[in-house]
Each structure stands twice: as C-alpha cells, then as structure tokens.
Amino acid sequence: MSERLHNFSAGPAALPLPVLQKVQEELLCYPGAGASVMEISHRSKSFESIIQNAEADLRALLGIGDSHAVVFMQGGATLQFSALAVNFLRGSGKPGDFILTGSWGEKALKEAKKEGEVRTAFTNKDENFKRLPKAGELNLDPNAAFVHFTSNETIQGVEFMQEPEVGDAPLFCDASSDFLSHPVPVDKYGLLYAGAQKNIGPAGVAVAIIRKDLLDRVPEGLPSMLDYKLAVENESLYNTPACFTIYVVGLVLKWLKDDIGGLDKMYAQNQKKAAILYDLIDSSNGFYRGHAEKDCRSLMNVTWTLETPELEAELLAGAKERNLDGLKGHRSVGGLRASIYNACPVESVQALADYMTEFHKQKG
Amino acid sequence: MSERLHNFSAGPAALPLPVLQKVQEELLCYPGAGASVMEISHRSKSFESIIQNAEADLRALLGIGDSHAVVFMQGGATLQFSALAVNFLRGSGKPGDFILTGSWGEKALKEAKKEGEVRTAFTNKDENFKRLPKAGELNLDPNAAFVHFTSNETIQGVEFMQEPEVGDAPLFCDASSDFLSHPVPVDKYGLLYAGAQKNIGPAGVAVAIIRKDLLDRVPEGLPSMLDYKLAVENESLYNTPACFTIYVVGLVLKWLKDDIGGLDKMYAQNQKKAAILYDLIDSSNGFYRGHAEKDCRSLMNVTWTLETPELEAELLAGAKERNLDGLKGHRSVGGLRASIYNACPVESVQALADYMTEFHKQKG
C-alpha cells in the first residue's frame, strides 16, 4: 500500500502534506548546512535559526508578548504534568487545583499528586465527562498555587472554547489536543503547554509557554529536564533537544502562518469541518449519537456511538474499505471518534460524511 | 549549498546515507500504513512492528539476553542522569559511586546529587581528563547502590575499551558517544544507556538497557517519565514515544546488522578510521599533539592541538574550504576534534588525513 489514507488518527496525527513534502525535499541536505537536519549540531547556525524562527512564528501566531517565555521540551504532556508540579507545588505550601473534564485531566492530577497537594476543583466523571463545568460549579481554593484544566479532552471530545473563570491563581492549561486550532488570549495563562503530536508536529516535543514572573517561584535542585527556569535560561538548549522534531514543528508553524493565514482562518476551517459531522449527527434522528453535550463539543475530536456495537463495527469496517482510517473510539467511550485536527483536510471530513450518510440510508 | 560535507560533528552527528535515503523514500507514506511514520498512532500495527524490530535488532547486535530489558525514552542522557538517581538512590540509604573521566561524568554526578548521596570514586580533572583510572586507583564504597562511569568522553576523547573492575555493585554506564561502536558484554551491566544522537540516530531518544532484577528496587511515586519500571512494564509506550526518531534508530540498527554485518565488523572499521588519524598525529614529530594518553584514546572522538591557536585557526579555515566540517575542539580542551562515529565513512577520515598531511608539509 503506497496510497495515503484519509487520516483520522487521534495522535500522532495527520500533518500538512506540503510540510511532509518539504521535509522530504530537504532530508539529505538542509540548505546551507551540508547535511540533514538530523545530522547537525544543536549549536550550529542552521539549527539556531530553525529554533528561533519556530519561536518567532509561534509568537506571531498566538500574539505572545514579552511577558511570556517559550520553550521546547521532551517527554510529551506527561513530563509537563510532573514539571508543573515540581516547579510550582514542591515547597510552595499551596495546593494545585485541577478541573477534570476527561481522562487527560485525571492523568495530570495523578502525576502532580506525587509531588504535592492537589485538589479536585471539578469533576463530572460520573457522567462520563460529557460536559464542561457550568458557572458556579468550580470549587476553587483562593490560595491555590495554580488552577489546571485541559482545554480539549481527546478521548471524550469536550472542548473549552473560552477559559474557565478561576480568579487570581495562575491558570495552567494542557492544550495538547487543540493547540493552535483557534486563537487564545495567552495573557490569561500562567502556563500553556502542548505535546506536538496532534496539531503541530511529530511526537517527541512539547511546547511550554510560561509567564516569566512565575519563574521566580521555581525551587532549586529540580531534575534538569523538568526545570522550567533552566529551560528558559538556556533557550531550550540546556542539552541536545529533539532537533529534527523541532524543525518539523517549525515547518508546521510556518504553514499555519503563511499557507493558512493565521489562527482566525484556521479556526474558521476547523469550525466548518466539525459542523459537517455534527450537523450530520444531529439530523440523523438518533441513528448517530454524539457523546458530548452540544455546547461543549470539541472541534478536534468528534465522538459518537450507534445503537449497537455490531452496527458500530459495520460502520468501521466499511470505513476501512473507503480508506477512512483511525476512526475507532477509545474503549472508555466506545463508538467512533473522528480526530480532525488542523492538518485534516475538509476533503477527508467530507468523504467521511458522505460515507456516514450512505451508511445511514442503508441501515437506518 | 546542496552538497553534503564531510561531517565530523560531535553530535547530533552523521547518519548512514542509505538510512537517510530510506527515510526520504518512505517519508510521505510508510509501506502498509497509508501515512508518514510521523502521522501514525504509537498503538498502530505499523509502529508496533517498528519498535519491536528495533528492539530485536538491538538485542541481536549486543547479544542481550532475557536478563535485561530494553526501553526507548525521551530526554537524552540528561534525563537518564536524573532517572538513575531517583530509581536507585532515592530511599536506598546507599551512595552512588561515580568514576569521572571527563565532562559528561561530572554532569551525571551533579544531576544525581540532587536526588541522593554521591561519591567521587575517581577523578583526574586536575590533568584535564587525559587518561582513565589505573588498577588500584578507584576509591569504591562496597555498599554503593551502583558504580557509574562514562564509557567515552566526547569532549576529552578518552574511551574505556574494557569495563572498569568495580566489585559487586551494579555497573551503570553512560555509553552515549560510543554505543554500538564495538561489542560490549551486556551481562556485566546493571544499566547501560545512551542518547541516540552520536551513533544510532537523531536526537530525541535514549536507549536504556536495564538488568531486570534491579527493577524491584525502584521506589513508588516517581515522575512517570523517569520511572524505569513503568517504562519496562509498558514496553516504552506508557505515553506517546518519539515515534519517528525511534523509526530512524531502527533503520540505523538494521544498517549496522545487515549492511555492516554486526559489531565486530563495525569495531574493525572504527579501529581503522581512528588509526589513520592517530598514526598521522604520532608520526608528525609533535606538529600535531594528541590530548588523550595513548592507551586511553577514543575511537570516536580524536582530539588534538597544534603549537599555537593561530595555527589551529589556520588548519580549521583550510578544512572548511575542503568541505571538512565540525572540527573545532570544545573550548575546555581547545584545538581540534574529529568525531568519527559509526556512520562517518573511511573516505571522510582519509580526506581529513590527506589535508592534515598537506598542511603539515606546508607549515611544519
């Protein structure tokens, strides 16, 4: 099989084809370097320019000002869970507040608990995380070191389109699965981080955006790879970073800025893609059943079930025949999930919708 | 510039050209996956087969038996420094013994010190790390949790070709810069780890080979990304690993096994390459001056100086004109350094030697 499929993988996920083509073109010899990006020193002029351009494009896309630092780290969101806890809970005498709206928020809390006091400021696990907190439902500690939330829950398919109101404590956010899918007011955040492998690149790097004044709170003696202060002071080059992965992220950021035209345009595309599927679900008279409540639906991960597991299996099998790949839902929610991140083209979403319409006609 | 140079970079370093060509060929669509390796789930059949084959080839190359586990982790050797300390010092009531023969050993000790008691079992920093310990020079604690050494010091260019004799304590080794450059008796090691970016792949992944019985000593509650037990139990897939980087590592391992023909043959090639440069240095009547003592010389990083910094600068400038890249020595040793890891072809070493001979004739 040498044909590219319609890729609905939840992550690592589809990348923009022009980015892959550029990577392929430059694979043996990066212009000006005399070697592949995989083969050059992280202290070389070529790589310095790669990582500096990536940061500049990210700053331009999100409108990040001088108040916030940007670093590229290894270890995915899971390392960030530990990092935010050792940097901001250890020795602080304060608890971390966690808003749980799905599986990833739970993981963040579990990891942070190893390093300090944590509180559950909200959870609706008993409803299988179908919705976000409503006004007044957050149980916050005014003394909290931070309030953490997960902007998009990949498994459940619920997404914050606006930041929760949390008062004065710094707002921390795992944005792994909707990072750069729409504009975000970075100034509201103390820490905004994301593993790359959904919206901005291959697995193996995470981006962390940190309000600089918080770095004064970082204690001494942290493991170097978990230390935000060290990462910021060394501009992500304390040790050898994931150079090639950062290079690909840089190309994706450039694609977002120049080819797509920025986050407003990306957001519009993402709304259009999601609407194709949600409208189809809503007009199916219950044949397709969305998991998330309507006002909490994710633009990135569309989750739905059918009446029986057999019907779901049949839908999946037919999808495979039509080169629609990666649609099986996570076991904790069941059914199907279409992950339609930034790089998933409208054409792929339309192909899926056409098939779902056809399937409904046949089986409905 | 679209021409590939002779690449003597200390790391990230040269990769085998056939590996880069294969990566380029499969970049848009990995056979059977319908997508790039960068775009597929780490739980997919394609990636499972990639990581399992990589482990199998590594086991075949080093003759790793069932006594040892193999994991792929993020964060480079620096994360391993923290990991080995939190896994084996924290709560153990025992010190870690460190044999220091260069800059990387010092970094390992400094990082471990944050997590537990450390001892310097040997250092010759006062000699600028020109040599390895001789028999009887190690000051070991019989109660040590482990004895750590650095098999090759990238900056100073000294290399252990045999393991130090350390008694009964588990032997831990940072083999980042000579991993798979020659056969190694893995059974002698409690922990053998290496960042990929010198000999086995791009930056962004480290391999750790761990004696399984030691995993019983790992305490509860470690940060997940530093926890060897968790990594082993989840076969490197607790969270999303650096999939694409592991794929490239897998191709390098396959190249080593099938194209080169295994570690004995790789070792012979590496000896031949190093001999070309060391013979030239030794027969230059002091025009070129090797940094390391003769019986401790690295086969991977050849370090030397000339009589004056001006002459060194002239040698470097001429090298650049001849497409000989990455030869500037590290500031702590000065002079020049040729990093001639596995993937550096004999032809590149010969081109450097020819130029050095010519330079000596002109200036000597």
Side-chain angles (χ1 to χ4, degrees), chain A residues 273-290:
Chain A
K273 288 187 293 184
I276 293 172
L277 297 178
Y278 286 125
D279 288 351
L280 191 155
I281 288 169
D282 290 341
S283 61
S284 74
N285 291 317
F287 183 76
Y288 298 120
R289 300 150 187 209

Side-chain angles (χ1 to χ4, degrees), chain A residues 1-7 9 11-17 19-21 23-42 73-79 82 86 90 104 107 110-111 114-115 197-198 201-205 221-227 230 238-245 248 325, chain B residues 1-7 9 11-17 19-21 23-42 73-79 82 86 90 104 107 110-111 114-115 197-198 201-205 221-227 230 238-245 248 325:
Chain A
M1 189 206 307
S2 61
E3 191 189 351
R4 286 173 58 80
L5 306 176
H6 294 295
N7 188 352
S9 172
L15 289 170
L17 187 57
V19 165
L20 292 174
Q21 286 165 333
V23 172
Q24 185 176 43
E25 184 191 319
E26 297 179 341
L27 208 280
L28 300 188
C29 200
Y30 182 73
S36 174
V37 174
M38 298 187 209
E39 302 175 296
I40 60 176
S41 168
H42 54 298
M73 296 169 76
Q74 294 187 52
T78 305
L79 186 135
S82 297
V86 296
R90 196 184 272 190
W104 286 100
K107 289 196 190 195
K110 191 180 155 198
E111 199 69 39
K114 298 175 182 173
E115 306 296 339
Q197 70 269 15
K198 317 284 191 186
V205 71
L222 300 185
S224 292
M225 300 310 289
L226 302 183
D227 187 329
L230 193 72
Y238 174 74
N239 73 338
T240 317
C243 300
F244 185 79
T245 312
V248 182
D325 198 49
Chain B
M1 189 205 307
S2 62
E3 190 190 351
R4 284 173 61 79
L5 307 176
H6 295 294
N7 188 352
S9 172
L15 289 170
L17 186 58
V19 165
L20 291 174
Q21 287 166 331
V23 172
Q24 186 176 42
E25 183 191 322
E26 296 178 344
L27 208 280
L28 300 188
C29 199
Y30 182 73
S36 174
V37 174
M38 299 186 208
E39 301 175 297
I40 60 176
S41 168
H42 54 299
M73 296 168 76
Q74 294 186 52
T78 305
L79 185 135
S82 297
V86 296
R90 195 184 273 191
W104 286 99
K107 289 196 191 196
K110 189 178 156 199
E111 198 69 38
K114 298 174 181 172
E115 305 295 339
Q197 69 270 16
K198 318 283 190 186
V205 72
L222 300 185
S224 292
M225 300 311 289
L226 302 182
D227 187 329
L230 193 72
Y238 174 73
N239 73 337
T240 315
C243 300
F244 185 78
T245 312
V248 182
D325 198 48

Side-chain angles (χ1 to χ4, degrees), chain A residues 72-318:
Chain A
F72 298 91
M73 296 169 76
Q74 294 187 52
T78 305
L79 186 135
Q80 297 295 315
F81 300 161
S82 297
L84 66 90
V86 296
N87 281 268
F88 299 112
L89 289 185
R90 196 184 272 190
S92 75
K94 296 178 174 188
D97 271 352
F98 285 78
I99 299 171
L100 308 184
T101 56
S103 308
W104 286 100
E106 290 190 300
K107 289 196 190 195
L109 177 142
K110 191 180 155 198
E111 199 69 39
K113 200 176 181 174
K114 298 175 182 173
E115 306 296 339
E117 187 192 344
V118 293
R119 296 179 67 257
T120 300
F122 174 81
T123 180
N124 64 336
K125 189 176 187 160
D126 57 345
E127 301 172 291
N128 203 3
F129 298 122
K130 287 183 178 204
R131 65 172 185 92
L132 302 175
K134 296 187 194 354
E137 281 191 302
L138 297 184
N139 166 23
L140 299 167
D141 184 331
N143 186 43
F146 57 78
V147 182
H148 184 277
F149 77 110
T150 311
S151 53
N152 182 66
E153 283 286 355
T154 323
I155 291 176
Q156 284 79 16
V158 293
E159 182 176 16
F160 284 87
M161 297 310 301
Q162 282 192 323
E163 292 69 28
E165 287 294 336
V166 299
D168 291 334
L171 184 64
F172 285 14
C173 177
D174 175 4
S176 293
S177 57
D178 68 351
F179 193 56
L180 301 185
S181 67
H182 62 86
V184 150
V186 172
D187 283 347
K188 286 195 175 179
Y189 291 84
L191 172 68
L192 177 63
Y193 65 91
Q197 70 269 15
K198 317 284 191 186
N199 270 307
I200 63 158
V205 71
V207 174
I209 303 166
I210 310 162
R211 217 176 70 207
K212 286 180 187 169
D213 66 289
L214 295 179
L215 296 173
D216 296 337
R217 306 185 188 179
V218 175
E220 296 292 311
L222 300 185
S224 292
M225 300 310 289
L226 302 183
D227 187 329
Y228 287 129
K229 199 171 169 185
L230 193 72
V232 170
E233 283 169 356
N234 288 276
E235 297 177 341
S236 309
L237 298 176
Y238 174 74
N239 73 338
T240 317
C243 300
F244 185 79
T245 312
I246 291 171
Y247 154 72
V248 182
V249 167
L251 292 177
V252 173
L253 296 174
K254 197 170 148 54
W255 167 85
L256 255 174
K257 193 162 77 78
D258 299 342
D259 295 18
I260 297 296
L263 296 191
D264 285 324
K265 295 213 171 135
M266 192 74 256
Y267 184 30
Q269 271 196 32
N270 286 329
Q271 287 175 306
K272 184 177 161 190
K273 288 187 293 184
I276 293 172
L277 297 178
Y278 286 125
D279 288 351
L280 191 155
I281 288 169
D282 290 341
S283 61
S284 74
N285 291 317
F287 183 76
Y288 298 120
R289 300 150 187 209
H291 174 76
E293 289 187 7
K294 285 191 187 181
D295 58 349
C296 309
R297 282 170 165 174
S298 168
L299 299 185
M300 299 286 102
N301 310 96
V302 180
T303 50
W304 74 97
T305 55
L306 281 78
E307 194 176 3
T308 66
E310 292 71 30
L311 212 50
E312 290 168 352
E314 223 178 311
L315 181 63
L316 273 173

